[in-house]
Amino acid sequence: MTDKFLCDFRFLLLAAAVAFIYIQMCLFTTQSKYADRLANAVEAETRCTSQMRKLIDQISMQQSRIVDLEVKGLQRRMDKIQTPVAAVVIMACNRADYLERTIKSILKYQNAVASKYPLFVSQDGSDPQVREKALSYDQLTHMQHLDSKPVQTERPGELIAYYKIARHYKWALDKLFHEYKFSRVIILEDDMEIAPDFFDYFEAAAALMEKDKTIMAVSSWNDNGQKQFVHDPEILYRSDFFPGLGWMLTKSTWNELSPKWPKAYWDDWLRLQENHKGRQFIRPEVCRTYNFGEHGSSLGQFFRQYLEPIKLNDVQVDWKSKDLSYLMEDEYIKHFAEILKNAKPINGADAVLKASNVQGDVRVHYKDQPDFERIARQFGVFQEWKDGVPRTAYKGVVVFRYPPPRRVFLVGPKSFELLGIKSV
């Protein structure tokens, strides 16, 4: 019985051992299969990671190239798109034929520097021909001012046009400085032609204005710029008299003027000492604008005598190469005084005849406004004064050529004192 039990037990052990070995073999086979699969998966993951890294590297390289190209392209565009020197605005109303002539004159020289001098036409009123003419040019921006309320004069008999003009100027300059955010604006009227170096002149003048805050505005106009009174297109002057007729001012100056802008006669208002406060204006000897507007608000006043004979500069002056430091306030007063001292004095009556018979520059002293008007009438230059200042005058001195190239200085009773000149 015992031997049989032991035999059965051994048989069971053997069967269990065989089963155990079989199970272990199955487990080993299964583990081997999973190990192979795992190894294949790891290898596949490694390949995938490697490929992904290569792809990321390629994408990074492409992105770097794209960014580099964008930067270079942006730089090229920035090189082409320059910060504006000044906006140029043509003030227009109801003279479509005049406006066309003005636009064509400006575009002739503005196209090459369009990014520096964006061009605008500001139309006062609703004249359809003016609007159509302005909108026919892609090179400019059209603005239109419409009165929100009736314009009334302050005194009987006044021309309402001068009130409308002043209102239009304020609206246009507010828009250009405050809405369009320009730092400078050049104001032209719709009856002007410009000189070949008009834009270069104003660019040089803009740099001068940045350095010298005693310059209130820069003008392209000389009231005594008639052909018989000018000679040198490279000479510039300071003046205590606002010339207008093609002029540039800065945003900071406009911020000062805008709140108190007059209802009418804005140009004469600017000539009041209470408004320019001792600041001065730069003007050329030879005009950079020509006013051809015989018919307009001023009814052709002075046109035949003073405007039609104006000499418009016809040469290209390289203003970028010119040293204009002599126009700085501290330098100019010494510069001008030295020129004046070297001029030969002329006394007595018949100044015109005496000036014609003297070699070199001459100076003629006047005692007061009537005396100035008498002498100016003899030569044929402007006799007008505003708020105690003759047109074009600097420290009471009016200078012009007669005959060119000789300079004639009409010298006021206090001019030497203002210039720091002792009697000579």
Side-chain angles (χ1 to χ4, degrees), residues 7 122 155 166 311 325:
C7 182
S122 184
R155 290 173 291 274
K311 164 69 175 176
S325 59

Side-chain angles (χ1 to χ4, degrees), residues 378-391:
Q378 290 181 23
F379 284 99
V381 296
F382 252 109
Q383 304 163 37
E384 186 182 20
W385 286 39
K386 294 291 182 182
D387 201 17
V389 181
R391 281 187 180 266

Side-chain angles (χ1 to χ4, degrees), residues 4 10 12 19 26 34 45 88 130 212 285 296 325 359 378 406 422:
K4 186 179 179 181
R10 289 173 181 168
L12 290 171
C26 290
Y34 279 112
E45 183 180 4
V88 179
V130 169
D212 188 348
E285 176 173 314
S325 59
Q359 294 294 319
Q378 290 181 23
R406 177 190 296 109
K422 296 180 180 180

Side-chain angles (χ1 to χ4, degrees), residues 28-71:
F28 178 77
T29 301
T30 303
Q31 287 177 344
S32 295
K33 290 180 180 178
Y34 279 112
D36 290 341
R37 290 178 184 176
L38 182 61
N40 290 336
V42 170
E43 183 179 357
E45 183 180 4
T46 301
R47 287 198 301 270
C48 183
T49 302
S50 177
Q51 291 175 353
M52 187 178 294
R53 285 176 179 171
K54 289 180 180 178
L55 183 60
I56 290 172
D57 290 342
Q58 290 175 353
I59 291 172
S60 297
M61 289 178 64
Q62 291 296 328
Q63 286 179 333
S64 296
R65 289 173 183 171
I66 291 170
V67 170
D68 187 49
L69 288 172
E70 287 178 344
V71 169

